[in-house]
């Protein structure tokens, strides 16, 4: 149970990453994360299963790549409108 109220939460508005900032953050990541970012550049939002299918990477590798991309604030997620049990992922920039 959450103890914060709607007034206490702040919705931060993030500015899109510049191309150079995006590339710099991506540069230090593993190849699997770079591939997932590339897939999301062309076709987003996608679920984890869809990303695994599109990238031909194992589910576990896709999960790892998404975690790394979220750590550097390149990828965001939300619940799917079609199936609220699933999350879909998209690029922040």
């Amino acid at each position: 149970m959450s103890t914060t109220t709607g007034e206490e939460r702040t919705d931060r508005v993030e500015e899109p990453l510049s191309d150079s900032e995006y590339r710099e953050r991506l540069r230090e990541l593993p190849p699997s994360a770079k591939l997932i970012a590339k897939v999301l550049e062309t076709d987003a939002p996608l679920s984890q299963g869809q990303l695994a299918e599109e990238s031909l990477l194992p589910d576990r590798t896709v999960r790892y790549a998404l975690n790394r991309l979220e750590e550097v604030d390149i990828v965001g997620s939300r619940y799917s409108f079609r199936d609220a049990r699933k999350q879909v992922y998209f690029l922040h920039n």
Side-chain angles (χ1 to χ4, degrees):
M1 178 197 256
S2 177
T3 58
T4 61
T5 65
E7 294 174 11
E8 292 174 346
R9 282 183 271 149
T10 57
D11 293 326
R12 59 184 180 144
V13 176
E14 296 181 15
E15 291 189 27
L17 293 174
S18 68
D19 189 48
S20 61
E21 178 68 22
Y22 173 76
R23 292 173 65 81
E24 186 61 35
R25 289 183 187 186
L26 202 56
R27 182 172 281 121
E28 301 301 319
L29 295 177
S32 60
K34 292 173 184 172
L35 177 58
I36 294 301
K38 194 64 170 171
V39 170
L40 287 172
E41 278 181 12
T42 60
D43 195 18
L46 293 173
S47 69
Q48 182 180 322
Q50 291 169 317
L51 283 166
E53 188 175 305
E54 291 293 320
S55 66
L56 303 176
L57 294 172
D59 288 339
R60 185 174 178 180
T61 304
V62 172
R63 250 190 330 271
Y64 173 75
L66 287 169
N67 286 335
R68 297 296 307 270
L69 288 164
E70 286 179 326
E71 286 172 4
V72 295
D73 204 29
I74 290 178
V75 166
S77 65
R78 63 169 169 76
Y79 287 103
S80 171
F81 295 129
R82 293 183 181 178
D83 185 349
R85 298 170 296 175
K86 294 182 180 181
Q87 286 193 332
V88 291
Y89 299 89
F90 55 90
L91 294 176
H92 278 294
N93 64 341

